[in-house]
Amino acid sequence: MMNKLFPMLALVCAPLFAANAAHAENLDFSLLNKTGYVISEVYVSSASSNDWEEDVMGSDVLASNESVDIEFEQGSKGCQWDMKVVYDDGEEAVWENLNLCSTSKVSLRYDRKKGTTWAELN
């Protein structure tokens, strides 16, 4: 009886395991700098955190029209994240509550005439 029950149980449970795997957060994304300026620091932290953590660029910089892959530690949870960039002249731009679970690329842009910076999420 047990030999017949195991395959049936596996067929019933397989979709449940697949559904859990599909809901696992993949927070990694590519950051593309289309601002026309050099970005010297990038901070990404959970929207629920009061701390910016460490600069993910380390000693590197992100030149205009270049991109960097930002990868999260395994086990990072939650979809809502904040991001701050610091340009080489010390100016900062901050975005709050970015949904990184549904994002694979973040493109940063700057409009010189209006003096506005924005992020496009794809």
Side-chain angles (χ1 to χ4, degrees):
M1 178 74 172
M2 192 65 156
N3 288 340
K4 291 182 182 180
L5 182 60
F6 182 74
M8 184 183 275
L9 186 60
L11 286 174
V12 171
C13 292
L16 297 175
F17 292 124
N20 283 340
H23 286 99
E25 288 115 3
N26 180 7
L27 303 171
D28 298 348
F29 66 96
S30 293
L31 179 64
L32 176 60
N33 179 7
K34 300 291 282 182
T35 64
Y37 295 94
V38 174
I39 295 174
S40 58
E41 300 171 37
V42 177
Y43 301 90
V44 182
S45 66
S46 171
S48 63
S49 175
N50 292 326
D51 185 19
W52 279 114
E53 309 296 331
E54 293 183 27
D55 172 17
V56 298
M57 295 300 295
S59 61
D60 292 334
V61 298
L62 185 59
S64 186
N65 295 316
E66 290 188 357
S67 66
V68 63
D69 291 332
I70 297 181
E71 298 176 351
F72 286 75
E73 291 181 14
Q74 189 170 351
S76 296
K77 296 195 183 283
C79 291
Q80 302 305 119
W81 293 78
D82 298 338
M83 182 172 66
K84 176 172 83 169
V85 299
V86 180
Y87 297 95
D88 62 350
D89 65 358
E91 290 289 320
E92 298 180 356
V94 174
W95 295 270
E96 296 179 341
N97 293 309
L98 301 175
N99 184 343
L100 296 183
C101 290
S102 61
T103 301
S104 61
K105 181 170 77 171
V106 177
S107 299
L108 302 182
R109 300 189 181 273
Y110 177 71
D111 183 331
R112 292 175 196 253
K113 291 180 183 176
K114 295 180 181 178
T116 57
T117 305
W118 70 95
E120 297 173 348
L121 282 63
N122 300 318

